[in-house]
């Protein structure tokens, strides 16, 4: 949720006499499980983070102010979910033109070590295929975060459209994520293109 959403929730909770802690989960829960990084904010954040760490969790209090932890997550999401959306758009077009290998090799030369010619494209696109609806909702909150800072959120909104749009296309064409496992981005792109061709793109 955006920082402003968290602050509004904090006001509602604290009005009842309860305490409120802003928590941002900073990575996928599997495979880290209890060790997934948590950023926490709020008046009780340091105390609660210490107690969670005693239980084997990986919590860090970053501020006593509600909203900052969420801002860290949302701003990071602009980049991470945006990269996923760009990868989907880039490689879908490259696949259409038979240029994907050359594109991936070029990306690998420009950004060595990221895994463009290895597992990175499969990972990035699989995240959309499996969780695109939830990630699109998160990107709308990221857009709110950016807009609340007085900055145009056009990239975040485009990423939200791309994330949700892939899942919508899969549903329309009855393509399930489980049926694609083990996941390969080419298989998904080809299935979408083939189904669109047979239905006239509808």
């Amino acid at each position: 949720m955006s920082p402003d959403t968290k602050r509004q929730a904090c006001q509602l909770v604290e009005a009842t006499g309860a305490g409120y802690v802003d928590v941002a989960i900073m990575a996928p829960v599997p495979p880290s499980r209890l060790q997934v990084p948590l950023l926490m904010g709020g008046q009780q954040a340091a105390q609660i983070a210490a107690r969670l760490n005693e239980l084997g969790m990986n919590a860090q209090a970053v501020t006593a102010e509600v909203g900052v932890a969420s801002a860290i997550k949302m701003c990071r999401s602009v980049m991470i979910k945006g990269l996923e959306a760009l990868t989907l758009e880039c490689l879908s077009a490259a696949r259409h033109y038979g240029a994907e290998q050359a594109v991936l090799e070029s990306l690998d030369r420009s950004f060595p070590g990221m895994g463009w010619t290895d597992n990175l494209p499969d990972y990035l696109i699989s995240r959309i295929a499996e969780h695109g609806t939830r990630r699109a909702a998160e990107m709308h909150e990221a857009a709110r975060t950016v807009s609340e800072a007085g900055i145009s959120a056009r990239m975040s909104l485009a990423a939200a459209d791309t994330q949700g749009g892939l899942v919508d296309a899969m549903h329309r064409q009855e393509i399930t994520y489980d049926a694609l496992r083990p996941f390969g981005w080419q298989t998904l792109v080809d299935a979408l293109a083939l189904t669109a061709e047979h239905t006239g793109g509808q």
Side-chain angles (χ1 to χ4, degrees):
M1 291 187 285
S2 75
D4 191 54
T5 302
K6 286 290 185 77
R7 286 191 287 266
Q8 291 175 26
C10 178
Q11 291 176 358
L12 292 172
V13 170
E14 290 185 342
T16 70
Y20 185 93
V21 176
D22 176 14
V23 181
I25 302 172
M26 297 303 293
V29 174
S32 300
R33 298 175 67 85
L34 284 178
Q35 279 295 299
V36 66
L38 304 176
L39 300 184
M40 305 180 70
Q43 294 297 320
Q44 298 174 304
Q47 175 187 355
I48 294 176
R51 293 179 64 181
L52 291 176
N53 290 335
E54 289 173 1
L55 297 173
M57 299 183 73
N58 181 17
Q60 177 187 358
V62 293
T63 176
E65 180 182 348
V66 168
V68 176
S70 293
I72 295 169
K73 178 178 176 64
M74 291 293 100
C75 292
R76 178 181 182 275
S77 291
V78 173
M79 183 63 69
I80 298 300
K81 275 71 172 183
L83 181 60
E84 293 168 356
L86 286 170
T87 301
L88 174 63
E89 182 173 314
C90 167
L91 293 185
S92 295
R95 182 77 166 169
H96 173 81
Y97 291 109
E100 69 268 24
Q101 191 58 39
V103 168
L104 289 168
E105 289 172 358
S106 178
L107 289 169
D108 194 57
R109 288 191 296 272
S110 297
F111 305 101
M114 288 185 65
W116 286 109
T117 56
D118 194 14
N119 296 325
L120 183 63
D122 285 333
Y123 176 74
L124 293 175
I125 295 175
S126 75
R127 300 299 291 168
I128 308 177
E130 186 175 12
H131 302 296
T133 300
R134 175 176 59 78
R135 294 165 96 75
E138 180 179 323
M139 286 312 296
H140 283 292
E141 285 295 315
R144 285 191 61 181
T145 300
V146 173
S147 296
E148 288 163 7
I151 299 166
S152 171
R154 63 175 65 92
M155 298 299 291
S156 298
L157 292 172
D161 287 345
T162 300
Q163 295 260 353
L166 176 65
V167 176
D168 289 344
M170 290 172 64
H171 287 167
R172 285 196 304 272
Q173 299 174 30
E174 299 182 347
I175 300 169
T176 66
Y177 177 75
D178 286 341
L180 298 169
R181 301 172 74 178
F183 187 87
W185 71 265
Q186 298 96 329
T187 302
L188 173 58
V189 168
D190 289 349
L192 289 170
L194 182 63
T195 307
E197 178 181 320
H198 286 170
T199 59
Q202 299 302 312

